Amino acid sequence: MTTPLTCRRRLLCGLIAAPALLWAALPAQAADIKERTLRFSFVQPKESHMGYGAQKFAELVAQKSGNKMQVKLFPNGTLGGDLQTVSALQGGTIDLTTLPPGLLVGLKKEFGAFDLPFLFNDFAEADAVLDGPVGKRFMEQLPNGLVGLAYWDHGFRNVSNNRHPIAKAEDFSGLKLRALQAPLMLDTFKALGANAVPMAFTELYAALESRAVDGQDNPIVAFATNRFDEVQKHLSTTRHVYNPLIVMASRKAWDSLSADEKKVLADAAAEARVDQRRVSREMEATALAEVKKKGVVVTEVTPAERARMRDKVKPVTDKYVKEIGEELVASFHAEIEKVRTAR
């Protein structure tokens, strides 16, 4: 039997619950979030794995902010190459970017750890390092003007060229290869016998087309989405370096945001990471099949030959481990060993 007292209690409970339900339904409107448009610059095409992650991130930012915060994408290096973008990020003229963390070595030598050759055997080992205390440590030690949000996937780098297949270490001899603008990457190719040429990614296609360089190295998805199959004949699965992507915000832009707005960006970057990694790795298999169909000769490098390449570049590894910091590199190896032991 419903009494007047019961009715009054139900009404009171309803009045108390209503604001909470309204808050749950309209979190973005209730939070401290302003109308904003953020500029996200990256060097790969919008159709690439990098572009997919950026688009997913933009969608999540809009969703989580109630469409108040918009992320405008600038793919294909339209706002500059990687190093120009880092400078612009520090200056606050660009708000967001994603790029391989090894490109930050000019600002902080420790980031060279990400370019140590033949460090990782597979994605599981790389993810364990990035998602654990080592990855967090690097996020907290970014150069001035930069704020780290998440690690996405770029992939294992593989070498392509126009002269001959690379199946063994000796096949690098005499090749003129474009390399990332990072000393460790340049020295790695030199140790393998190649003539390494530092060059911005935005200049690479034209250099390959004009034969200013014989070849280059990039993850397979980047090779395919940038149409390098049009200007390269041979692709070899050297898998000599694993590149994550670090998603970063400009410190100037970040400091202008409210706590709620910062949470929107951080949560969106972390949530996008799951899909971006999955899609990036699915795209790698598809891209490899596509470039084969287009006539690119793909040479599978055997584990034994990859081990020989690792031995050949060991003096380079030893040199940079000392520069980067032995304790820091040991922390990489400790996380990798945990994965290998658990198998």
Side-chain angles (χ1 to χ4, degrees), residues 155-158 178 180 185 217-219 238-241 243:
F156 281 93
R157 302 183 77 88
N158 299 278
R178 174 265 180 180
L180 280 178
M185 297 293 282
D217 76 313
N218 257 296
T238 51
R239 295 173 70 84
H240 51 284
V241 168
N243 275 165

Side-chain angles (χ1 to χ4, degrees), residues 264-312:
V264 166
L265 294 185
D267 288 353
E271 192 172 328
R273 174 186 62 199
V274 178
D275 265 358
Q276 194 277 339
R277 284 181 180 173
R278 174 183 57 79
V279 169
S280 177
R281 291 160 191 180
E282 289 173 354
M283 288 176 74
E284 180 179 288
T286 303
L288 188 60
E290 286 177 354
V291 299
K292 284 180 179 178
K293 286 180 183 177
K294 291 179 179 179
V296 176
V297 178
V298 176
T299 301
E300 296 288 344
V301 178
T302 66
E305 286 301 327
R306 199 172 287 120
R308 290 187 65 236
M309 293 176 189
R310 182 187 291 112
D311 289 342
K312 197 165 184 179

Side-chain angles (χ1 to χ4, degrees), residues 12 21 31 52 63 66 78 96 112 133 137 174 184 199 218 222 225 260 265 284-285 318:
L12 181 60
L21 291 172
Y52 174 85
Q63 174 191 316
T78 52
L96 298 153
R137 177 176 173 180
L184 174 50
M199 184 182 296
N218 257 296
T225 55
D260 289 326
L265 294 185
E284 180 179 288
D318 292 344

Side-chain angles (χ1 to χ4, degrees), residues 163-179:
R163 289 175 53 184
H164 55 248
I166 297 175
K168 55 187 185 298
E170 290 77 11
D171 295 331
F172 280 91
S173 182
L175 289 177
K176 193 173 183 180
L177 299 178
R178 174 265 180 180

Side-chain angles (χ1 to χ4, degrees), residues 103-148:
L103 285 167
L104 301 175
V105 71
L107 300 171
K108 219 162 194 183
K109 67 181 185 201
E110 291 84 356
F111 281 82
F114 289 96
D115 287 339
L116 287 171
F118 303 103
L119 182 62
F120 300 108
N121 287 331
D122 53 38
F123 294 123
E125 293 177 4
D127 290 349
V129 170
L130 296 169
D131 297 342
V134 175
K136 183 180 178 182
R137 177 176 173 180
F138 274 94
M139 284 289 194
E140 293 169 348
Q141 295 179 354
L142 279 168
N144 291 335
L146 307 175
V147 177

